[in-house]
Amino acid sequence: MDVANVNLAGLAPNKPAERQKTMKRSARKVTLSSVIAAAPLLILLIGFLAVPLSYIVWGSFEGTKLNFSHYARVFASATNLNILLHTLRVGLIVTVVSIILGYPVAYLLTKVRSLPLSVLSIFILIPLFTAFLIRTYAWMIILGREGIINNALIWLGVITAPLQLLNTTFAVVVGMTHVFVPMAIFTMYSAMAQIDHAYAHAAQILGAKPVQAFLRVYLPMTLPGVFSAGILIFISAIGFYITPALLGGPSDTMISQMIVDQMTTLLNFELGYASSIVLLLVIIAILFVASLFIPLEMIWSSASSSSDQEPRAAARLLKRAKRALGPAVSAIEGVAHAATGQLLTKNAGWLWAYTVAILIFLTAPLIVVVILSFSSSPFVVFPPPGLSLQWWRKLANATDWHQSFLFSIQLGIAAAFIATIIGTMGAFWLVRTKFMFKKALFLFSLSPLMVPVVIIATSLYVFEARIKMLGTFSGLVIGHVLLSVPYVIVVMSAALRNFDTSLEPAAAVHGARPLQVLRLVTLPILKPTLLTAGLLAFLTSFDELLVGIFLLGRQTPTLPIKFWADIKYQIDPLLSAASTLIVVLVTASIITVQLIRMRHEKRTTAGTAD
Amino acid sequence: MSTSLEMKNIQKFYGPLHVVKDFDLHIQPGEFVTFLGPSGSGKTTALKMIAGFETPTSGDIFLGSRSIVDLPAYDRGIGMVFQNYALFPHMTVSENVAFPLTVRKAARKDAEDKVAKALSLVKMEQYKGRYPNQLSGGQQQRVALARAIVFNPSILLMDEPLGALDRNLREHMKVEIMRIQKDLNMTVVFVTHDQDEALTMSDRIAVINEGSLVQVDDSKSLYNRPRSRFVASFLGESNMIPCRVDEAQNGSAKVTLAGAASGAAQLSGQINGDQGWLFVRPERVEINLSSEPAAVTNSLDGVVESALFLGEMTRYLIRCGNETITVKRQNRGQLHFAGGTPVKVSWKAEDCVVLQ
């Protein structure tokens, strides 16, 4: 039957040679396309992040002079050292508070059905995507001398004279916590959503009390997610600029403010460089320690973490310590069970109450801003003495605001467009091609998220001044592209990893050429993800302050810069009207994209109708 | 448009791993050939090389008279049904089916006709406006089949297409696929690890193990005349009794069974003195009470170890010394043997073969 069993000896020697030629040709094609996909990303990251950073490093010891005295000054001067320590302390407090406040909410999100889930997440998403500036402004209104809290306390007769709430460390912690709680909730939720609640049920049926089931089974499984949320928040918090600058007092200066001051007002560049490098080294050290416990890429994209990995060395060490503490843990569990026995059973009513309280904490400041925009008073007083549209009328006539708004939109669209293209190509390259050090390169592509914005801003400032790009539109766009490309990469690579791998071969075998596959199959399926990535990039640019301040030059101020200048000059309800408008626009765009996504997903998610 | 497919001395290495070895196979136009093998045997790799997703390390593949190894997948003109169907989630049923025509820039009217014809062939006309996720598994399967045949491919590849369907649907789809194959007279290469699918549907089955073609034959010969222990045990149930060839003669021989009893069997190339395994299917073995004389050449004495009632048949395990013989008997009201009964099992010389 096997007709082909004829002797092919004559053909055999030259055939494989021919084959090798074709394979080589196709291999070259693959390398070529991956070079094309990788090039823009690598050029961006090396040319506008690594090289400018090296300028800063070089400048910090005055190049060939090897003058390290600036580093000494960072540590020797009590003021500078205090700023550094204060920064770390505030970062730590904010991190711990945000995690503790966010954990129960994230836990509840894993338990609810899809409709309440989407309602809850809208209430968390809107604060998450509201500009830091607007949220900080809201806290200025709430905590001010004539703010809600003081007025309420006086009205209640608790105090007679207004308390000093604004310009304190307390205000900074509250403002930053407000910024980071939504981030904590979403980061922890995305890790927790992958944990099956059946584990806790299994523990209970095996005899664990609810407290034990939670502490011994559920909580340990969520720890990597909690830990990565903590790292994410901490490294963002210690690079924070807006909130401490506006809500803190003189003794609340954080390191970013110090760097900005050195670079802009004191013009002590070398000290600024040295402080930047110190901040960067602190972050590198934290990330290094973190990498002993969890895979670093998990911090930014929990989807890429794999649970079947060997526990890391440090994690094993932790386990041993835990075993030693066993008896103490059991005793605590006993007490906790006695105390919470009622709470942890069945009805999670208290969890809902708590979640609603957190949501009020998150959204109330925005509502205050909205109400204030209709104030009839010329001052920021809350509650407003009467309602009027005067501030809206004023906003409608404020041409400087209109120009800033239009300029920010232009800038956002340009940055989002370029970032989406570069990031998507980069994500294809990172996910689809096989090469060594892939994880390291993935982390490298996320590095603009690790380097504090203030350092990116100052290093680009120095670098762009050197290459005569400072103050140009393209210089500004590049800065914003750099900041938003990592988000595009995170979103796109998650989508590409979940992409059904048989669809492209199916298209190819039925006659589609590579470009047709891309145009007819791959991109249309990724369309909603591309939209999300683009929106994220746009919002990143639209909210961005520091890079803008440094790179703007003589161009029209962007909306955040305009806002920043006004807030420092005088706070009046006009800012509320502007904020309200921005919040409404941002919310509308989030909801629109969400709706498009939902419609697309409803049609296309895998799963059958039977 | 049926075409022959020929695989000539195909080898595939993944690094040092030899995953496909010495593949030589000629598939006739209009023939339905199944690649059957356990998972990891290399059957899917072989299929991927035909489709163009993998390049053979050496060897050649001909579609008709044309060598296709150097052609990219999209120029091969092959239809394929994927294991998870791989329907494009963002296209409707008719857009999915039209896809092979769209990318070939077929004329609109012509394409519409062909899509309608393909959909009616798989009885899915009324679903043409739906999206894949609005269809059941069986319906998705039909659409995937329509998409694969709409452009009159020279050959149709199917990669475990029935694996995701439930039992009843699977039986139904088997018949449907066979009907469509016959209607269009298509050359089909079908990959499965399910022996029932292979036995029912195929003109010929290529049994693959550890990267090699072990035996290529039609269902009946493969089942009744396996050429190796692997094929005998992979396809259906079988008894393997150690034996020695005593007097070989014209392809059959007198043998010694399990070191003691004497019997007779067909040979598969052994000579006198060879050790081997005597292969006999459970349904070819008779059971009688020990007291009755044996009617045929091969017989062993034993005790009923267990009797499993399976509805249409009873499955006995008979312990004969160190060997356990499986026997399947149709339940037609004959004598039932309870556990512990001393019995004699026997089978005809022409129903058993000595395998290496």
Side-chain angles (χ1 to χ4, degrees):
Chain A
M1 277 281 195
D2 293 357
V3 183
N5 243 334
V6 276
N7 196 342
L8 285 167
L11 277 168
N14 55 13
K15 262 289 167 189
E18 245 171 63
R19 182 71 24 73
Q20 264 173 10
K21 210 168 65 192
T22 4
M23 282 171 82
K24 242 187 221 155
R25 201 190 312 141
S26 65
R28 206 179 304 139
K29 226 185 219 165
V30 169
T31 3
L32 184 70
S33 62
S34 74
V35 164
I36 291 173
L41 179 67
L42 291 179
I43 290 172
L44 178 76
L45 289 174
I46 293 170
F48 292 91
L49 184 69
V51 170
L53 274 181
S54 67
Y55 270 64
I56 296 266
V57 175
W58 188 247
S60 70
F61 48 81
E62 295 182 37
T64 48
K65 278 200 217 155
L66 292 178
N67 178 355
F68 286 94
S69 64
H70 307 294
Y71 285 93
R73 273 163 68 203
V74 174
F75 294 103
S77 126
T79 329
N80 292 346
L81 191 62
N82 274 339
I83 288 174
L84 183 62
L85 292 179
H86 181 73
T87 304
L88 296 178
R89 193 167 58 233
V90 169
L92 195 63
I93 294 172
V94 166
T95 305
V96 172
V97 173
S98 306
I99 295 279
I100 291 174
L101 289 183
Y103 191 93
V105 180
Y107 178 73
L108 180 73
L109 288 183
T110 64
K111 290 210 144 191
V112 297
R113 269 180 250 278
S114 67
L115 184 67
L117 179 66
S118 38
V119 173
L120 288 177
S121 38
I122 282 183
F123 274 98
I124 302 165
L125 273 175
I126 292 171
L128 183 67
F129 284 110
T130 304
F132 295 155
L133 265 171
I134 293 177
R135 290 194 268 174
T136 307
Y137 167 71
W139 284 107
M140 292 170 81
I141 299 168
I142 295 172
L143 298 172
R145 283 185 74 80
E146 298 201 39
I148 306 170
I149 293 187
N150 272 323
N151 280 351
L153 289 177
I154 291 171
W155 185 74
L156 287 171
V158 181
I159 50 171
T160 49
L163 295 173
Q164 172 72 30
L165 293 174
L166 203 57
N167 302 331
T168 60
T169 313
F170 170 75
V172 175
V173 170
V174 170
M176 285 175 70
T177 304
H178 186 253
V179 166
F180 287 118
V181 164
M183 204 188 265
I185 293 174
F186 273 114
T187 317
M188 289 191 287
Y189 168 71
S190 60
M192 283 156 94
Q194 294 164 12
I195 300 169
D196 195 337
H197 283 289
Y199 289 118
H201 294 159
Q204 291 197 22
I205 205 105
L206 294 171
K209 299 183 182 80
V211 174
Q212 285 177 317
F214 178 77
L215 288 180
R216 297 196 169 213
V217 178
Y218 192 76
L219 184 69
M221 288 199 277
T222 61
L223 280 185
V226 172
F227 190 69
S228 57
I231 297 293
L232 179 66
I233 292 171
F234 188 73
I235 63 172
S236 322
I238 60 176
F240 232 57
Y241 177 72
I242 294 171
T243 312
L246 293 178
L247 297 181
S251 63
D252 291 307
T253 308
M254 285 178 56
I255 195 160
S256 290
Q257 288 166 271
M258 179 181 123
I259 294 169
V260 172
D261 285 347
Q262 301 289 357
M263 303 284 293
T264 55
T265 50
L266 305 174
L267 299 180
N268 193 341
F269 287 96
E270 285 76 19
L271 188 59
Y273 295 159
S275 314
S276 300
I277 300 305
V278 170
L279 177 58
L280 200 56
L281 288 177
V282 168
I283 284 173
I284 290 172
I286 292 165
L287 289 177
F288 174 74
V289 173
S291 73
L292 299 178
F293 292 89
I294 53 167
L296 276 188
E297 64 273 16
M298 185 185 169
I299 296 175
W300 291 275
S301 61
S302 59
S304 64
S305 69
S306 58
S307 52
D308 49 26
Q309 264 178 340
E310 276 277 295
R312 311 234 154 176
R316 281 203 298 273
L317 204 73
L318 216 63
K319 205 168 204 169
R320 243 171 260 151
K322 218 165 66 186
R323 209 167 290 152
L325 290 172
V329 171
S330 299
I332 294 170
E333 276 171 3
V335 175
H337 176 64
T340 62
Q342 297 305 313
L343 290 177
L344 283 178
T345 45
K346 285 284 172 214
N347 285 323
W350 68 275
L351 203 55
W352 271 101
Y354 176 84
T355 301
V356 169
I358 291 288
L359 293 186
I360 290 173
F361 169 68
L362 291 179
T363 43
L366 303 182
I367 293 168
V368 167
V369 169
V370 173
I371 294 174
L372 196 66
S373 72
F374 295 102
S375 172
S376 61
S377 161
F379 306 108
V380 174
V381 277
F382 203 92
L387 297 179
S388 91
L389 286 174
Q390 56 165 329
W391 298 109
W392 286 96
R393 242 175 267 126
K394 212 166 185 180
L395 186 68
N397 294 323
T399 44
D400 50 343
W401 280 94
H402 299 170
Q403 280 166 1
S404 289
F405 180 75
L406 287 178
F407 185 68
S408 268
I409 296 266
Q410 274 174 27
L411 177 62
I413 288 174
F417 187 71
I418 297 170
T420 307
I421 291 174
I422 294 181
T424 304
M425 287 165 76
F428 265 95
W429 171 61
L430 286 165
V431 174
R432 291 283 176 90
T433 44
K434 288 187 184 134
F435 50 81
M436 296 210 287
F437 314 119
K438 201 164 162 169
K439 275 193 175 165
L441 273 165
F442 185 68
L443 280 178
F444 177 58
S445 68
L446 302 185
S447 56
L449 293 179
M450 303 173 207
V451 181
V453 181
V454 65
I455 299 180
I456 291 182
T458 50
S459 64
L460 274 178
Y461 172 67
V462 173
F463 179 68
E464 290 194 357
R466 190 72 63 94
I467 61 168
K468 303 266 184 301
M469 225 179 161
L470 196 62
T472 64
F473 185 70
S474 46
L476 196 52
V477 169
I478 286 176
H480 283 184
V481 166
L482 187 65
L483 291 181
S484 39
V485 132
Y487 294 108
V488 177
I489 289 178
V490 167
V491 172
M492 291 309 299
S493 54
L496 281 173
R497 283 196 200 97
N498 292 332
F499 197 88
D500 182 345
T501 47
S502 61
L503 293 180
E504 286 166 346
V509 82
H510 291 129
R513 283 148 199 288
L515 281 178
Q516 283 179 313
V517 175
L518 194 68
R519 184 168 57 84
L520 297 173
V521 176
T522 316
L523 289 182
I525 293 175
L526 291 174
K527 195 172 72 185
T529 317
L530 281 166
L531 217 65
T532 308
L535 179 68
L536 275 176
F538 177 82
L539 291 177
T540 306
S541 157
F542 197 68
D543 285 355
E544 206 289 322
L545 175 69
L546 269 181
V547 168
I549 288 178
F550 276 91
L551 304 185
L552 186 70
R554 294 166 182 281
Q555 304 172 75
T556 319
T558 63
L559 209 50
I561 295 176
K562 171 80 185 135
F563 207 100
W564 173 252
D566 277 28
I567 234 178
K568 287 181 89 178
Y569 173 59
Q570 60 161 24
I571 61 170
D572 65 24
L574 178 65
L575 291 175
S576 292
S579 302
T580 305
L581 188 65
I582 295 170
V583 171
V584 168
L585 288 177
V586 167
T587 308
S589 61
I590 292 171
I591 291 177
T592 311
V593 169
Q594 203 66 19
L595 285 179
I596 294 175
R597 260 188 98 97
M598 265 161 66
R599 209 192 56 183
H600 181 94
E601 262 158 29
K602 205 168 149 197
R603 261 189 2 212
T604 59
T605 37
T608 51
D610 57 0
Chain B
M1 284 311 114
S2 57
T3 312
S4 66
L5 177 82
E6 192 172 2
M7 301 177 83
K8 279 187 177 174
N9 194 26
I10 295 289
Q11 314 285 343
K12 177 69 183 174
F13 287 88
Y14 286 130
L17 225 64
H18 202 170
V19 288
V20 170
K21 297 171 197 161
D22 314 321
F23 250 63
D24 273 311
L25 185 61
H26 188 111
I27 297 171
Q28 304 292 342
E31 196 178 18
F32 193 122
V33 171
T34 300
F35 288 179
L36 175 68
S39 43
S41 58
K43 56 189 192 303
T44 299
T45 309
L47 193 77
K48 281 181 173 168
M49 289 191 287
I50 302 174
F53 305 142
E54 296 278 358
T55 318
T57 311
S58 69
D60 213 340
I61 303 175
F62 291 92
L63 210 52
S65 57
R66 188 166 74 133
S67 166
I68 57 168
V69 271
D70 292 337
L71 286 182
Y74 52 82
D75 277 339
R76 293 190 182 193
I78 289 175
M80 182 162 176
V81 177
F82 289 72
Q83 193 169 7
N84 61 353
Y85 321 131
L87 293 177
F88 306 124
H90 60 300
M91 297 182 191
T92 61
V93 165
S94 53
E95 285 166 350
N96 261 289
V97 176
F99 186 84
L101 306 169
T102 314
V103 295
R104 291 182 170 80
K105 307 199 164 62
R108 181 109 176 264
K109 185 79 194 72
D110 189 33
E112 274 170 16
D113 291 347
K114 282 183 175 163
V115 169
K117 210 174 126 214
L119 281 175
S120 81
L121 198 62
V122 297
K123 300 178 182 150
M124 287 291 291
E125 308 98 311
Q126 68 269 45
Y127 297 102
K128 62 177 192 253
R130 296 227 190 152
Y131 286 92
N133 75 331
Q134 298 168 316
L135 302 176
S136 70
Q139 291 168 331
Q140 293 188 15
Q141 167 77 77
R142 288 162 185 272
V143 176
L145 186 57
R147 180 179 69 179
I149 59 178
V150 71
F151 61 110
N152 267 332
S154 49
I155 178 169
L156 176 64
L157 308 180
M158 306 182 95
D159 185 8
E160 309 220 12
L162 305 178
L165 300 181
D166 64 46
R167 198 185 148 83
N168 284 334
L169 210 49
R170 196 152 59 207
E171 292 306 316
H172 185 70
M173 281 310 292
K174 270 189 212 172
V175 179
E176 284 287 279
I177 291 172
M178 287 163 72
R179 171 182 67 85
I180 291 166
Q181 189 248 343
K182 287 279 157 340
D183 278 6
L184 302 179
N185 187 31
M186 262 188 320
T187 313
V188 174
V189 179
F190 187 97
V191 164
T192 184
H193 61 261
D194 181 311
Q195 42 162 315
D196 291 339
E197 282 172 23
L199 289 175
T200 325
M201 302 171 76
S202 327
D203 292 323
R204 277 193 302 157
I205 301 172
V207 182
I208 300 172
N209 188 35
E210 291 175 353
S212 303
L213 283 173
V214 185
Q215 189 172 351
V216 186
D217 251 325
D218 64 280
S219 305
K220 282 191 194 114
S221 331
L222 213 55
Y223 187 80
N224 293 327
R225 288 265 175 277
R227 275 194 251 130
S228 64
R229 286 184 67 200
F230 175 80
V231 175
S233 55
F234 190 71
L235 239 77
E237 265 193 290
S238 56
N239 289 300
M240 295 284 183
I241 307 157
C243 69
R244 193 183 65 234
V245 177
D246 293 333
E247 285 173 41
Q249 191 173 44
N250 292 339
S252 62
K254 287 214 161 68
V255 295
T256 306
L257 288 174
S262 65
Q266 311 286 313
L267 291 181
S268 56
Q270 293 83 356
I271 54 163
N272 283 349
D274 278 358
Q275 299 286 341
W277 297 84
L278 184 129
F279 152 83
V280 61
R281 293 283 180 199
E283 66 273 21
R284 301 280 173 156
V285 183
E286 276 295 323
I287 308 185
N288 296 100
L289 287 171
S290 296
S291 48
E292 294 173 35
V296 286
T297 37
N298 299 296
S299 82
L300 292 171
D301 287 313
V303 176
V304 176
E305 201 168 76
S306 70
L308 286 183
F309 178 73
L310 301 174
E312 86 268 27
M313 65 170 78
T314 304
R315 187 165 176 275
Y316 292 96
L317 288 182
I318 315 288
R319 171 145 292 278
C320 308
N322 289 330
E323 304 304 316
T324 305
I325 310 283
T326 308
V327 183
K328 283 183 186 164
R329 292 224 303 176
Q330 291 286 327
N331 290 327
R332 290 190 195 147
Q334 330 88 312
L335 193 57
H336 181 78
F337 303 96
T341 317
V343 291
K344 193 186 287 284
V345 290
S346 57
W347 60 91
K348 294 179 196 155
E350 57 266 38
D351 287 340
C352 60
V353 185
V354 180
L355 300 174
Q356 285 307 321

